[in-house]
């Protein structure tokens, strides 16, 4: 049928970093978690290290912290599983099927999105086209979500990498990495252009893993500030590599 006949790649808007958690509960599911006994870094170490990175404005792997422990999240109702840092907390009512975030770096999070089973007929992740085409769609979706009506806001974005892999479940997954920077004028109402100086608001990396099962498109989404990504890349790539989709019984 071709990609043009498929429903658009739709994903929920990311949870605002400084918003309070909603109290809406998720539907009851058959869920389980498994802990891995590796100690998480000290919270103060993370805060101080992140502050150092932000303050000096460049990235040095010498400040990288030891690997954190991972916990496994299994959703047998919707048919997917992944691992996430064991001290991240679940946020309810964030709009995604499941959403966890770092309690100290509030704009670092992981979520999973599913296409509608009634309107999608995905047979393979290759229905999205080549990984490069999927990367363009993912970036376009992020930019749509981050569209701002504020004056003087400018976004810079790029697809950093796209790839495909066959996992141990013999399914193909696409991986997409993008960077988005947001700039805003310090005085957007100034009459003279020289008085409107653009400043960097945030600089983030978005990592997506796409898989298909049960005629649905699944997407694991990781969001992290670029300076934190340098520190936590090993753990975040473990999260990406752990994502699996599974067939559910009718």
């Amino acid at each position: 049928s071709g990609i043009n006949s498929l429903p658009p790649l739709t994903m929920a808007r990311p949870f605002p970093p400084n918003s309070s958690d909603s109290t809406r509960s998720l539907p009851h599911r058959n869920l389980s978690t498994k802990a891995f006994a590796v100690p998480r870094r000290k919270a103060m170490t993370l805060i101080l290290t992140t502050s150092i990175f932000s303050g000096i404005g460049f990235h040095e792997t010498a400040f990288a912290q030891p690997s954190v422990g991972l916990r496994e999240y299994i959703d047998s109702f919707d048919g997917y599983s992944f691992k996430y840092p064991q001290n991240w907390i679940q946020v309810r009512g964030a709009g995604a099927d499941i959403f966890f975030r770092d309690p100290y770096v509030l704009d670092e999070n992981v979520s999973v999105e599913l296409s509608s089973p009634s309107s999608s007929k995905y047979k393979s992740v290759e229905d999205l086209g080549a990984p490069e085409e999927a990367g363009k769609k993912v970036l376009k979706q992020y930019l749509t979500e981050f569209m701002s009506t504020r004056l003087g806001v400018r976004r810079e974005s790029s697809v950093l990498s796209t790839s495909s892999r066959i996992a141990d479940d013999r399914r193909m997954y696409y991986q997409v990495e993008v960077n988005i920077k947001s700039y805003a004028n310090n005085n957007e109402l100034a009459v003279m252009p020289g008085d409107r100086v653009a400043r960097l608001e945030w600089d983030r990396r978005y990592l997506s893993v796409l898989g298909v099962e049960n005629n649905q498109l699944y997407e694991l989404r990781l969001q992290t500030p670029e300076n934190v990504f340098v520190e936590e890349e090993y753990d975040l790539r473990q999260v990406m590599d752990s994502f699996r989709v599974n067939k559910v019984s009718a």
Side-chain angles (χ1 to χ4, degrees):
S1 57
I3 188 65
N4 292 330
S5 63
L6 293 171
L9 182 66
T10 57
M11 296 165 276
R13 185 172 300 276
F15 193 78
N18 298 318
S19 306
S20 59
D21 296 353
S22 169
T23 57
R24 181 175 66 82
S25 298
L26 295 173
H28 175 72
R29 309 175 183 278
N30 178 18
L31 305 177
S32 66
T33 58
K34 300 177 183 178
F36 291 82
V38 181
R40 172 68 172 173
R41 88 197 74 197
K42 300 293 185 181
M44 187 57 67
T45 301
L46 173 60
I47 295 171
L48 291 175
T49 305
T50 304
S51 176
I52 290 171
F53 274 121
S54 301
I56 61 179
F58 63 87
H59 306 149
E60 288 290 348
T61 56
F63 291 101
Q65 298 297 312
S67 173
V68 303
L70 298 179
R71 187 183 300 273
E72 186 172 27
Y73 179 87
I74 301 173
D75 188 333
S76 56
F77 180 84
D78 285 316
Y80 65 87
S81 64
F82 63 95
K83 296 176 183 177
Y84 65 96
Q86 64 180 353
N87 82 323
W88 286 19
I89 59 175
Q90 182 177 349
V91 177
R92 300 183 184 276
D97 195 69
I98 189 67
F99 190 106
F100 294 96
R101 76 178 180 196
D102 189 311
Y104 308 110
V105 183
L106 299 186
D107 54 352
E108 184 176 39
N109 52 62
V110 62
S111 61
V112 173
E113 300 290 338
L114 287 68
S115 64
S116 170
S118 61
S119 62
S120 61
K121 298 297 179 183
Y122 290 95
K123 298 301 181 185
S124 166
V125 72
E126 293 174 290
D127 288 342
L128 295 171
E132 295 77 12
E133 291 302 311
K136 294 176 183 178
K137 292 179 173 68
V138 168
L139 178 57
K140 181 178 180 181
Q141 181 63 38
Y142 277 123
L143 291 175
T144 299
E145 294 172 9
F146 296 138
M147 195 173 294
S148 175
T149 57
R150 289 182 298 145
L151 295 175
V153 172
R154 176 173 58 86
R155 301 277 156 75
E156 289 184 359
S157 62
S158 61
V159 176
L160 301 177
S161 70
T162 59
S163 62
S164 64
R165 64 183 175 88
I166 303 295
D168 53 11
D169 60 0
R170 299 184 179 179
R171 292 180 178 86
M172 178 176 287
Y173 295 85
Y174 282 177
Q175 296 190 164
V176 176
E177 297 185 33
V178 305
N179 171 265
I180 303 176
K181 296 179 177 67
S182 179
Y183 295 87
N185 292 334
N186 62 344
N187 186 7
E188 63 273 10
L189 299 179
V191 176
M192 301 301 293
D195 295 330
R196 298 193 295 269
V197 179
R199 70 183 190 281
L200 179 66
E201 288 188 305
W202 46 261
D203 179 8
R204 298 177 188 152
R205 183 168 301 209
Y206 298 90
L207 308 111
S208 291
V209 184
L210 305 163
V212 168
E213 186 53 271
N214 307 306
N215 294 325
Q216 292 176 268
L217 176 66
Y218 295 73
E219 183 185 14
L220 176 83
R221 309 176 109 198
L222 274 164
Q223 169 184 293
T224 183
E226 276 287 353
N227 56 4
V228 177
F229 176 77
V230 172
E231 177 187 14
E232 300 187 348
E233 179 176 2
Y234 177 79
D235 300 301
L236 296 176
R237 295 204 183 281
Q238 280 193 307
V239 173
M240 294 178 70
D241 292 342
S242 72
F243 186 55
R244 298 290 184 273
V245 296
N246 309 288
K247 185 171 290 295
V248 297
S249 56

